[in-house]
Structure formats: C-alpha cells, structure tokens
Amino acid sequence: MSEYGEIETGEQHESLDQLHQVDASEQNYDAQFGVYEQDHAAAESTSFDQGHQVSYTDPSGAKYEESDFTSYDHSSAETDHVFAAEGSESFSSSEFHQLDALRAQLDSAFAQATVVQDGPAELAAS
C-alpha cells in the first residue's frame, strides 16, 4: 500500500437476455355451392276407333239395321320445372402473438479509491 492509497479501476459487463417468441394462427373456410335442377315431363294419348255394325231380323218383321262409326280422341300434357340456387359461405380467423428478444450489454466503468490517512509518525515507522 502506498501513502497515497490504493486506486483500482476496471469495467463490469452485465447482460440481459429475454426470450423471443412468436405464436401465429390462421384459419380459413370457404364453401361455394350451386344447385341446378330441371325436370321435363310429357304425356300424350291418342285413341282411334272405327266400327261397323249390321243387325238383321226376319221372318215376319223384317228389320234391317246398319251403322258405321269412327271415334278419334287425342290428349297431351307437358310440364317443365327449373330450379336454380347458388350460395357462398366464408369464415376467417387470425391470431398473432410476438415477444421480442432483448439482449443489452450494459457496460459500466468504475473507479474506486482507498485513501490512507496515516499521520507523519506512522509514515516514519514504515
């Protein structure tokens, strides 16, 4: 130890660390639909008839009869049906989390001194 005391200088290094974390999430849903329906129905009926009839009665009352006939019938039916529909559906969701990392270097300089307060008699003894 000197008479002026002891002086010490130096540096301290400290560091601070934090975690870096990222959480992310994303959801999507999409639906499209289309419906098309078409129906067709038809019916037709035709009837054609021809006939001939003869009737005869004799011995005393002589009767004679003859007839001709024609029958024609036609019917038809038709139907159409159309159905159309379309649609859309959508869903979306999003999340995001982030925690940044922090690393800091902290430098601090220090000076420390110890002063000796010895008197002259103590200095002569040394």
Side-chain angles (χ1 to χ4, degrees):
M1 189 162 151
S2 70
E3 77 181 76
Y4 297 106
E6 188 173 310
I7 296 178
E8 181 180 330
T9 61
E11 289 187 10
Q12 290 180 341
H13 300 283
E14 297 178 15
S15 63
L16 176 65
D17 291 325
Q18 284 186 353
L19 176 65
H20 178 74
Q21 180 177 353
V22 174
D23 297 323
S25 176
E26 182 174 323
Q27 297 173 350
N28 290 319
Y29 170 75
D30 185 32
Q32 296 179 357
F33 59 90
V35 176
Y36 182 76
E37 175 183 291
Q38 180 179 5
D39 291 328
H40 175 75
E44 185 173 345
S45 175
T46 302
S47 175
F48 181 74
D49 297 320
Q50 282 185 326
H52 180 74
Q53 176 191 1
V54 175
S55 182
Y56 177 76
T57 306
D58 198 11
S60 60
K63 187 175 178 190
Y64 173 77
E65 194 178 308
E66 188 174 334
S67 58
D68 290 319
F69 65 90
T70 302
S71 174
Y72 175 78
D73 184 27
H74 178 77
S75 63
S76 66
E78 187 172 336
T79 180
D80 289 314
H81 169 76
V82 175
F83 176 76
E86 55 180 86
S88 179
E89 186 173 330
S90 182
F91 170 77
S92 182
S93 175
S94 180
E95 294 182 29
F96 182 77
H97 307 283
Q98 182 174 3
L99 176 64
D100 291 329
L102 175 64
R103 177 168 176 85
Q105 185 75 26
L106 304 174
D107 293 332
S108 61
F110 68 91
Q112 185 177 7
T114 306
V115 177
V116 178
Q117 296 183 1
D118 295 331
E122 295 173 356
L123 285 176
S126 16

